[in-house]
Amino acid sequence: MKTLYVSDLDGTLFNTEKALTPATVQLLNECIRRGALFAVATARMPYGCDRRLEALRLNAPSVLTNGVFLYDFEAKRYLSAETIPDEAAHRVLDVFARHNVKVFLYTFADGQISIHYNDPALTGQTQYYSRRALESCAAVTMAPDLGARISGGSAFYFACTGAREALEPVVSAVEALDGVSCAFYLNIYNGLYCVEVFSHRASKRNTLTRLKTMLGCDELVVFGDNLNDLSMFEIADRSYAVANALDIVKERATGTIGSCNEDGVARFLKAELLSG
């Protein structure tokens, strides 16, 4: 049986210091060396995890940005990108404007990401406005009129963080729109909630389904901790929640493994692939 193993990053494969431990790197690379197919599925952008994953010898394309991108870390190449039609993107902007919530807009053109934001205060949201973003993106610009930056189907993501009660009305309104999907989850590092909006065709579930077929795998085994991992739990043959996962994630998993600070994913794979 050909199995594809896929892990979320933050709170799952990464420890609470947002890093891979030496033990995780050693164990996973040994599993990969012995033929295991291993990939990651994360809400992060490519530049948000490439350096943190350098020590891993990933041998399968990975699902990034909640399923927007299928990305080959070895070749540093985008294999596919799901963008938002212009009309739908403008409707999303209208929702944020009606609720007076400022937002980041991401666009993708010629194989490069650009970031636009409509309030200088958003530069404090380092999850989205980071040093790596400034180094890696084609442009990072303040643009009070974000609508002017939407052109030719280049928009692929809207994102912001804030208090749950302030963002819940935005989520409800976005979920009523056609053509887009929304991820709403707790940032385990700062206690704030994240709203991320992307094409309805993009999700960890949809992109993993394509990847499983592309690689000719018979089985999909996934690992996660948060709400945005549930879509891939739904289509996995087996799903495992780390011990630090949200209760709802544990309830929907095949089983629970060690926490992100205990090398839970790597030790599970060691037991499954290297023992005996």
Side-chain angles (χ1 to χ4, degrees):
M1 178 180 290
K2 188 175 183 181
T3 300
L4 173 62
Y5 296 94
V6 180
S7 179
D8 172 57
L9 289 183
D10 293 282
T12 304
L13 198 63
F14 289 166
N15 63 15
T16 50
E17 300 301 317
K18 305 183 186 182
L20 296 171
T21 69
T24 282
V25 170
Q26 179 184 357
L27 290 172
L28 288 183
N29 280 342
E30 180 61 18
C31 290
I32 292 168
R33 188 184 71 79
R34 295 198 189 186
L37 278 175
F38 187 83
V40 302
T42 177
R44 285 178 177 266
M45 300 285 166
Y47 56 77
C49 52
D50 53 359
R51 291 185 181 177
R52 288 182 168 89
L53 293 171
E54 279 180 338
L56 279 188
R57 302 293 177 255
L58 294 172
N59 60 349
S62 289
V63 177
L64 306 185
T65 323
N66 278 324
V68 170
F69 298 118
L70 190 59
Y71 187 78
D72 185 334
F73 279 102
E74 185 176 12
K76 300 186 186 306
R77 184 166 64 95
Y78 295 92
L79 303 181
S80 65
E82 295 287 0
T83 60
I84 304 171
D86 289 359
E87 182 178 351
H90 282 291
R91 290 198 300 267
V92 172
L93 271 184
D94 289 342
V95 167
F96 280 97
R98 287 201 311 271
H99 291 87
N100 196 31
V101 174
K102 302 303 182 181
V103 65
F104 289 98
L105 162 68
Y106 291 75
T107 58
F108 184 72
D110 301 321
Q112 289 188 295
I113 294 170
S114 295
I115 304 175
H116 320 278
Y117 57 99
N118 56 3
D119 189 328
L122 291 181
T123 60
Q125 294 191 15
T126 55
Q127 178 175 356
Y128 304 114
Y129 189 98
S130 65
R131 181 177 57 82
R132 286 289 289 133
L134 294 171
E135 292 172 351
S136 304
C137 292
V140 181
T141 58
M142 220 286 282
D145 180 13
L146 290 182
R149 303 303 171 102
I150 295 172
S151 176
S154 63
F156 71 88
Y157 218 60
F158 297 87
C160 68
T161 65
R164 180 172 186 167
E165 58 272 17
L167 297 179
E168 282 181 333
V170 173
V171 173
S172 295
V174 169
E175 288 178 339
L177 299 178
D178 292 329
V180 293
S181 294
C182 183
F184 186 44
Y185 60 95
L186 178 67
N187 183 325
I188 63 170
Y189 301 115
N190 62 18
L192 295 174
Y193 276 77
C194 306
V195 174
E196 296 171 350
V197 183
F198 38 89
S199 166
H200 71 285
R201 297 183 302 274
S203 69
K204 289 185 177 183
R205 171 180 178 148
N206 291 348
T207 308
L208 275 182
T209 298
R210 287 195 288 115
L211 181 59
K212 181 182 177 183
T213 301
M214 178 191 306
L215 298 177
C217 293
D218 307 294
E219 183 184 37
L220 174 63
V221 179
V222 303
F223 308 89
D225 74 306
N226 213 327
L227 298 178
N228 63 332
D229 297 319
L230 291 178
S231 73
M232 65 179 183
F233 277 34
E234 293 170 359
I235 50 98
D237 297 284
R238 289 184 283 147
S239 57
Y240 295 94
V242 287
N244 53 283
L246 297 178
D247 287 343
I248 188 173
V249 178
K250 293 178 184 177
E251 291 167 4
R252 299 189 187 182
T254 303
T256 300
I257 62 175
S259 76
C260 65
N261 286 327
E262 298 169 324
D263 305 298
V265 172
R267 295 193 184 281
F268 174 90
L269 290 176
K270 174 188 176 183
E272 180 152 305
L273 302 173
L274 303 182
S275 299

